[in-house]
Amino acid sequence: MLTSFLKRLATAIPSLIGVIIVTFLLTRVLPGDTAAYFAGPAASAEAIEEIRVKLGLDKSLPEQFVDYVGGLVSGDLGMSLTTGQPVVKDIVERLPASAELTLLGLFVAIAIAVPLGILAAVRQGSWVDHLCRIVATAGVSLPVFFTGLLLVYVFYYQLGWAPAPLGRLDVFAVAPDPITGFLLIDTLLVGDGETFLAALAQLAVPAATLGIFALAPITRITRASMLSVLSSEFVRTARASGLSPYKVVVAYAFRNAMLPVVTTLGMVFSFLLGANVLVEKVFAWPGIGSYAVEALIASDYAPVQGFVLAMAILYVLLNLLIDLLYGIIDPRVRIEG
Amino acid sequence: MNRRDFLKTASTAAVVAGTGVAAPAILSPARADARKETLLVVSESGPNNLDIQGVGTNVPGYEVSWNCYDRLIGHEMKEGPGVVPYYDRDKFKPELAEDMTVGDMSATFKLRKDAVFQDGTPVTAADVKWSLDRAVSVGGFPTFQMKAGSLEKPEQFVAVDDHTFRVDFLRKDRLTVPDLAVIVPGILNSQLVKKNATEADPWGLEYTKQNTAGSGAFKVIKWTAGTEVVLERNENWKGGPLPALRRVIWRMVPSAGNRRALLERGDADLSYDLPSKDFAEMKSAGKLKLVSTPYSNGIQYIGMNVNKPPFDNPKVRQAIAYAIPYQKIIDAVMFGLAKPMFGAPADAATEVAWPQPHKFNTDMAKAKALLAEAGYENGFETTISFDLGFAGVNEPLCILLQESLAQLGIKATINKIPGANWRTELNKKEMPLYTNVFSGWLDYPEYFFFWCYHGQNSVFNTMGYKSAAMDALIDGARNAAATGDAATYETDVKGFVDLAFTDVPRIPLYQPYVNVAMQPNIGGYQYWFHRRLDYRALTKA
């Protein structure tokens, strides 16, 4: 198990090297002159040149690349010019905010989509099946920023149920010192129930927005995969052997239908990280997505590279986790691996 | 500091709010109390540096510098358009200097003896000298802005004794004293900053990027880049009456729709730079206090590259000036929230003032005739460029212009340029036709013209316009202003305005408005040349 895990980990290294090279080149190819941007509105040509030298942008591309990789090795991702902070610090501060939001969104989606998908498959053609279809259609056809704005309009502006879309915490609430960076966990660790509820209230609408976005693929895959398993011979055998419908569906069929669902979850998670960018904009969420977009607009290379790298590492880890989950769900995968 | 400690140490009222349930519908009385002394400002973007003298400090960063640092002098207020207090360009009031004597070739300032920095050290003339030396030495925007008032060399700044400070003039320049009242020459705690400076960073820019080290009315107690800035009142401030606000929380809310929702639901106290459409709608709804003030010395314009055909022909430029759908732009793009800079009556005399409207209006027949005279009766092909960073205004404006030009047979393609690239493109001075805004901090006609029309060809002379007659008039006005020659000043200002309207290298469209929306209980909003908020005067009832 351990060797297969290490082997799997080793295969991730070339992808990471590729990501480092490609993002470095891509950010250089983008239009926009960082030095001109940061020299300010009144900059003379000399002032721009001065900043270019200060930022090391006057060096040749290979030299800049060596500088960049050298920094990476020592854990230095460079400075963000838009926030004025080291990129590592920014990412460490902001990644938990995005992760908390994305994971909660994914959790909401799974909690609704998986049971819905199973029910739809079991009762094919019933109202549950139609509901499943409606949910899936709505989920794919509503762009995530639109759902976000709509939910803000209804639940905050019209009804007043949701708190103001002002980020992770109400303006007057005081965040606990970060332990994990996840507010929901940190507040529980220090036993601060009020702040926990406040943070949960802030999270509810953005997480629901992401949840709605993620519902469609998960319900569809759960339903399809359940349908194919339910019509397979071992299920027929199990039914014929007189096992209870519950046992047949949950213990036999569902376990076998899980593999494609888990694969989809991995993909949905990465889509969610992308969708996060828009949701963070709508809810003033201090996450990593809005950070990367702002940096991109300002031709601020270091954060963009840092963001892509962080996402790549996250994605590699996620795939690793999914591969391991395969082994748990289906022991045959372990033997082959 | 965890939350419990915070509850113990911090002032009571502001903190009780921490326990408030995060549902806006249920406002507890304690929370309402706490909010009374705290202002919640929402805006699109926040600072990237707390020090205006830092490298690449963005405009939101100016707001922090303005409120956290004192300058030697500030401006008095007068009543402005829309009955909003408006800074008085010509009247100065003491901040750190309690007295100012302007001589022929120097100005002497007597510093307040009781002024202290936020850490308690007294403010001395040595601090003032160090801070101004820093402003003219760090390069980039701060040094450039100091130069605008002929403040260029450290030798100009003399600490006579602990509480007397002198500025020697390099040359006579009317802008020297006003330039000491802009944001850049804020006075820093030199001992504290020097302690945190390094060999590579002798001016301590890294330290002041993250920390405020001034004697100003506010200090930053928390800054999360891109998310929020929390400022607290400096109880020892001596530069003026203690501000009414104890705390300012400034949150970044990127979505304009949400900023509006926050205001309308009463969760945010104040927001500015909302899209004109939202602002106009909120105005007609009448629930909030809304203030619009025209940018001082600022104009949105259509620029043309005068060095390349077809715009090297003044007749073509005049034809364009007659083809612009001015009123449509004011109505459909700005929703009426802009001051027209066109269509002055034909017999109106040129004023000794800037900005002022020109005499062009939309007249397609005249435009067609002029174009024919210039030899382009069948039109030509060109591109209209704009900064995508301000697409909300620029895009509809350029589309209206494009439609209008099409009627003359001019086929214009719209060229959208990303914000990060806009300045690079402007610097090249190659775009044939474009729209842009320029606004000068110092509100003097000759200042505007020196940057935008003078043959020194600064970055702001985006048209690449050069004319010996224009240069003579601008230089003449600058000289006359410095020596107090009112008659020559008048002739020269009228002269260069007239010439700018005959040659029309750029066509003024309108003066944009600073639109500020606030709750009805917020008072004391003041308009400043920098167009940012002055927390010192704001009140909350």
Side-chain angles (χ1 to χ4, degrees):
Chain A
M1 183 77 186
L2 188 68
T3 41
S4 72
F5 171 76
L6 288 177
K7 258 190 210 157
R8 182 66 191 71
L9 198 60
T11 55
I13 291 169
S15 355
L16 286 181
I17 293 175
V19 166
I20 291 171
I21 297 174
V22 169
T23 47
F24 175 83
L25 289 177
L26 274 184
T27 46
R28 268 23 179 219
V29 171
L30 284 175
D33 183 347
T34 315
Y37 190 83
F38 286 99
S44 56
E46 302 92 74
I48 295 175
E49 212 37 56
E50 217 173 89
I51 288 196
R52 202 186 304 283
V53 173
K54 218 178 245 176
L55 299 177
L57 293 172
D58 56 327
K59 296 184 188 167
S60 68
L61 266 193
E63 277 178 287
Q64 288 184 40
F65 186 69
V66 170
D67 284 355
Y68 174 60
V69 174
L72 271 188
V73 172
S74 57
D76 177 14
L77 288 174
M79 290 288 286
S80 161
L81 297 164
T82 32
T83 66
Q85 314 294 322
V87 172
V88 175
K89 181 172 175 273
D90 278 341
I91 290 182
V92 167
E93 261 177 24
R94 287 164 164 266
L95 194 57
S98 291
E100 188 171 39
L101 176 60
T102 312
L103 287 173
L104 195 68
L106 191 64
F107 178 76
V108 168
I110 295 173
I112 298 171
V114 171
L116 191 64
I118 295 175
L119 274 179
V122 175
R123 306 208 191 293
Q124 211 185 341
S126 73
W127 65 269
V128 185
D129 199 12
H130 291 301
L131 178 71
C132 174
R133 197 165 295 127
I134 291 168
V135 164
T137 315
V140 284
S141 46
L142 292 172
V144 70
F145 68 89
F146 178 76
T147 330
L149 287 174
L150 190 74
L151 291 184
V152 168
Y153 181 73
V154 173
F155 291 105
Y156 168 66
Y157 186 73
Q158 288 294 343
L159 298 172
W161 295 354
L166 272 174
R168 297 180 83 185
L169 263 188
D170 177 71
V171 169
F172 292 93
V174 180
D177 276 339
I179 303 168
T180 58
F182 286 77
L183 270 183
L184 291 185
I185 297 174
D186 287 358
T187 47
L188 283 184
L189 285 178
V190 298
D192 186 346
E194 283 153 355
T195 316
F196 173 80
L197 287 180
L200 190 63
Q202 292 290 136
L203 260 170
V205 182
T209 309
L210 281 178
I212 291 173
F213 173 75
L215 268 181
I218 305 177
T219 22
R220 293 300 299 170
I221 286 290
T222 312
R223 181 178 175 275
S225 140
M226 276 303 280
L227 275 180
S228 77
V229 173
L230 283 176
S231 63
S232 65
E233 293 187 354
F234 75 90
V235 170
R236 204 176 55 199
T237 315
R239 281 205 174 119
S241 316
L243 288 173
S244 72
Y246 176 80
K247 183 129 198 177
V248 171
V249 170
V250 175
Y252 286 79
F254 180 59
R255 180 171 179 142
N256 282 285
M258 280 271 274
L259 278 187
V261 175
V262 169
T263 316
T264 317
L265 283 187
M267 277 165 55
V268 167
F269 185 75
S270 60
F271 289 157
L272 280 184
L273 285 174
N276 234 340
V277 173
L278 296 166
V279 175
E280 284 174 10
K281 279 270 172 210
V282 171
F283 293 93
W285 204 259
I288 194 171
S290 54
Y291 173 67
V293 169
E294 269 157 42
L296 198 59
I297 291 171
S299 305
D300 191 359
Y301 300 145
V304 177
Q305 287 164 348
F307 169 78
V308 176
L309 198 62
M311 287 298 124
I313 293 172
L314 209 62
Y315 196 62
V316 165
L317 288 179
L318 187 76
N319 274 315
L320 202 63
L321 186 75
I322 288 170
D323 286 359
L324 293 177
L325 268 180
Y326 276 5
I328 294 166
I329 295 168
D330 187 348
R332 283 173 302 176
V333 177
R334 247 181 322 205
I335 297 161
E336 284 158 20
Chain B
M1 183 160 72
N2 69 31
R3 182 164 173 276
R4 297 290 161 213
D5 291 342
F6 186 82
L7 279 170
K8 272 181 238 147
T9 53
S11 55
T12 47
V15 170
V16 179
T19 60
V21 182
I26 321 157
L27 277 173
S28 69
R31 186 185 154 123
D33 242 20
R35 291 205 57 171
K36 222 173 236 175
E37 290 185 300
T38 304
L39 186 79
L40 175 59
V41 180
V42 291
S43 78
E44 178 161 0
S45 51
N48 64 348
N49 192 323
L50 301 181
D51 178 10
I52 194 170
Q53 296 184 5
V55 179
T57 305
N58 61 7
V59 176
Y62 300 178
E63 186 164 315
V64 176
S65 277
W66 179 253
N67 287 290
C68 295
Y69 292 95
D70 280 329
R71 284 136 296 267
L72 288 168
I73 46 171
H75 284 277
E76 299 270 9
M77 285 288 143
K78 62 178 181 186
E79 193 171 285
V83 214
V84 172
Y86 194 94
Y87 82 103
D88 189 336
R89 184 188 87 174
D90 302 313
K91 283 204 190 115
F92 298 97
K93 71 168 186 194
E95 262 183 20
L96 275 177
E98 55 187 6
D99 180 60
M100 169 173 76
T101 326
V102 183
D104 199 34
M105 284 310 280
S106 72
T108 309
F109 299 87
K110 287 271 175 219
L111 303 184
R112 269 177 214 281
K113 295 209 169 63
D114 57 348
V116 288
F117 287 111
Q118 283 154 7
D119 67 352
T121 32
V123 180
T124 66
D127 292 306
V128 179
K129 169 160 175 59
W130 189 81
S131 306
L132 296 188
D133 286 356
R134 190 183 193 243
V136 298
S137 307
V138 289
F141 170 69
T143 301
F144 173 87
Q145 179 62 44
M146 295 297 280
K147 235 180 234 168
S150 296
L151 298 164
E152 294 167 20
K153 296 177 181 151
E155 299 86 85
Q156 286 179 266
F157 309 121
V158 187
V160 180
D161 60 42
D162 265 6
H163 294 101
T164 315
F165 175 76
R166 196 180 74 229
V167 176
D168 292 333
F169 301 156
L170 282 183
R171 63 188 79 89
K172 281 196 174 181
D173 187 336
R174 167 158 81 153
L175 302 182
T176 302
V177 171
D179 205 29
L180 288 170
V182 300
I183 310 178
V184 173
I187 309 305
L188 300 107
N189 186 340
S190 66
Q191 296 306 320
L192 178 65
V193 181
K194 271 190 222 163
K195 224 183 285 167
N196 291 289
T198 58
E199 215 165 293
D201 175 27
W203 295 109
L205 294 169
E206 282 303 315
Y207 177 74
T208 52
K209 178 193 237 179
Q210 310 276 356
N211 303 279
T212 49
S215 56
F218 285 87
K219 56 188 168 193
V220 171
I221 56 165
K222 185 177 171 221
W223 172 38
T224 316
T227 310
E228 93 178 328
V229 184
V230 182
L231 301 105
E232 203 170 67
R233 183 169 71 192
N234 170 15
E235 302 295 334
N236 290 322
W237 189 49
K238 300 291 176 348
L242 207 61
L245 299 170
R246 192 178 284 276
R247 205 176 252 250
V248 176
I249 299 178
W250 175 13
R251 280 261 177 131
M252 284 83 232
V253 178
S255 150
N258 280 351
R259 290 204 296 281
R260 178 176 167 183
L262 286 164
L263 279 170
E264 290 191 348
R265 284 207 48 100
D267 282 325
D269 290 321
L270 189 151
S271 178
Y272 49 100
D273 286 347
L274 285 161
S276 291
K277 181 172 185 284
D278 284 319
F279 201 80
E281 283 172 13
M282 285 158 83
K283 211 168 206 169
S284 60
K287 281 189 228 143
L288 293 159
K289 189 145 101 189
L290 301 162
V291 177
S292 300
T293 324
Y295 279 28
S296 50
N297 218 7
I299 286 180
Q300 172 108 28
Y301 64 91
I302 302 286
M304 288 160 286
N305 187 330
V306 300
N307 296 316
K308 277 187 199 164
F311 297 113
D312 58 343
N313 186 335
K315 289 229 165 82
V316 175
R317 302 202 293 264
Q318 285 167 9
I320 304 290
Y322 278 116
I324 293 173
Y326 298 101
Q327 194 57 45
K328 244 192 229 167
I329 290 172
I330 299 271
D331 296 340
V333 179
M334 302 310 291
F335 297 87
L337 291 168
K339 193 174 169 190
M341 282 293 128
F342 56 88
D347 56 351
T350 308
E351 289 173 75
V352 191
W354 188 257
Q356 59 178 302
H358 54 71
K359 287 166 188 167
F360 296 100
N361 45 28
T362 317
D363 187 337
M364 295 313 274
K366 252 189 203 164
K368 222 168 224 162
L370 277 163
L371 213 53
E373 268 181 61
Y376 292 100
E377 51 278 286
N378 299 320
F380 49 82
E381 279 187 29
T382 187
T383 55
I384 311 176
S385 311
F386 70 83
D387 179 357
L388 210 46
F390 300 93
V393 167
N394 286 341
E395 189 155 19
L397 193 157
C398 288
I399 290 172
L400 284 177
L401 179 62
Q402 185 188 35
E403 278 174 7
S404 212
L405 294 183
Q407 295 173 35
L408 300 176
I410 299 173
K411 235 178 101 184
T413 329
I414 290 183
N415 180 22
K416 305 174 188 182
I417 298 177
N421 216 12
W422 177 245
R423 266 178 215 152
T424 320
E425 290 300 314
L426 272 182
N427 273 334
K428 283 188 204 153
K429 306 196 181 191
E430 276 173 0
M431 293 183 287
L433 184 67
Y434 52 89
T435 185
N436 195 27
V437 177
F438 174 86
S439 170
W441 273 1
L442 299 172
D443 190 5
Y444 297 86
E446 69 276 17
Y447 181 75
F448 189 103
F449 274 75
F450 181 69
W451 293 119
C452 297
Y453 289 90
H454 196 280
Q456 57 151 352
N457 210 1
S458 85
V459 190
F460 306 112
N461 182 349
T462 46
M463 317 76 75
Y465 175 74
K466 279 181 191 165
S467 146
M470 180 61 98
D471 292 358
L473 288 164
I474 296 172
D475 293 338
R478 276 164 59 99
N479 259 327
T483 53
D485 179 354
T488 315
Y489 182 73
E490 269 186 33
T491 345
D492 284 350
V493 170
K494 280 185 186 169
F496 65 59
V497 172
D498 279 336
L499 188 56
F501 288 165
T502 326
D503 270 5
V504 280
R506 58 162 72 178
I507 309 159
L509 299 177
Y510 55 81
Q511 235 177 321
Y513 283 164
V514 182
N515 292 322
V516 185
M518 54 197 126
Q519 299 300 336
N521 62 341
I522 306 296
Y525 169 76
Q526 301 181 332
Y527 176 86
W528 280 96
F529 56 87
H530 49 68
R531 308 197 298 272
R532 307 297 297 188
L533 294 175
D534 191 324
Y535 308 141
R536 298 174 296 189
L538 288 169
T539 59
K540 196 167 170 180

